[in-house]
Amino acid sequence: LLAQAQQTPPPKQQRDLKLETEIKKTPEPKPPAAAPAIPRSYALVVGIAHYKNLPESAQLSFPERDAESIYSILISPEGGNFRAENVHRLIGAKATRENLRKELEEWLPSVTKDDDRVLIYFAGHGFVHRGRAFLAPYDISPDNISATGYPMDDLGQVFGSKIKGKWKVMLTDSCHSGSITPADDAPQA
């Protein structure tokens, strides 16, 4: 009997398994992550090394070069990624008080919106005259700083309330020489 059991295969068993084919849905591909949005960007870049009404001893060496470098960085994709047409430059003799006023008080307020980023860069002389601070435009007169300089109070008011923007940056690289004005009009740091 044992020999017979070894020769006959066991009867096939019926299993209660059912083969079901499922249609697997392929998950919908996720949309690619959106690149971060770069806000609209505006800048005014000012650099003055040589002044119309200041003596040779008061002329500067690097502000114009520094301003051009800032401009290049702002418009580069690796730097600020600003559109070149949105970055205005006042370099050297173009940086008059009137041009500075127009850019700050007319152009920037007319183009900026609440979600923009705005940068103002100034490299050149600065003065404190009778307790008030001034940026020195190309055509500043050491004999009349109040009328020919650009008051920092005005800049602060314009930048704070007239120029719109979510991100605002002001960089000033200003210095002075004590030998350029009369004693009663002497600049201070």
Side-chain angles (χ1 to χ4, degrees):
L1 224 146
L2 186 57
Q4 190 181 22
Q6 286 178 347
Q7 291 174 357
T8 51
K12 284 192 171 183
Q13 294 180 352
Q14 281 291 15
R15 303 197 71 172
D16 60 348
L17 295 178
K18 294 181 185 176
L19 179 61
E20 293 183 18
T21 56
E22 286 186 36
I23 300 175
K24 291 188 176 183
K25 292 185 179 180
T26 310
E28 290 196 27
K30 293 181 181 178
I38 297 173
R40 287 180 348 142
S41 306
Y42 295 92
L44 174 62
V45 176
V46 182
I48 311 156
H50 301 285
Y51 285 84
K52 175 181 173 182
N53 301 315
L54 299 184
E56 187 59 36
S57 63
Q59 304 302 326
L60 303 172
S61 299
F62 305 110
E64 293 173 15
R65 185 192 69 185
D66 292 348
E68 291 291 359
S69 294
I70 292 291
Y71 171 79
S72 295
I73 290 166
L74 289 176
I75 65 169
S76 74
E78 303 81 20
N81 208 18
F82 284 57
R83 294 178 65 158
E85 62 269 19
N86 291 350
V87 181
H88 288 196
R89 290 178 285 182
L90 295 176
I91 306 296
K94 292 182 180 179
T96 64
R97 184 179 192 280
E98 183 57 21
N99 287 345
L100 188 59
R101 188 199 65 72
K102 282 181 182 175
E103 295 292 319
L104 292 168
E105 297 177 19
E106 294 174 21
W107 175 65
L108 281 170
S110 74
V111 296
T112 55
K113 306 261 186 272
D114 289 337
D115 286 333
D116 294 344
R117 64 181 174 164
V118 181
L119 181 131
I120 296 172
Y121 175 83
F122 179 91
H125 278 300
F127 296 95
V128 175
H129 173 66
R130 296 191 177 135
R132 290 184 68 205
F134 295 86
L135 293 179
Y138 168 77
D139 53 351
I140 193 165
S141 172
D143 296 324
N144 196 356
I145 292 173
S146 299
T148 60
Y150 191 85
M152 289 295 288
D153 318 3
D154 292 359
L155 179 58
Q157 193 275 329
V158 167
F159 199 54
S161 64
K162 290 185 181 179
I163 297 171
K164 296 179 185 110
K166 188 172 187 177
W167 299 275
K168 296 181 193 179
V169 175
M170 184 184 320
L171 303 169
T172 58
D173 180 1
S174 300
C175 59
H176 72 88
S177 169
S179 63
I180 61 173
T181 59
D184 63 335
D185 213 16
Q188 302 170 13

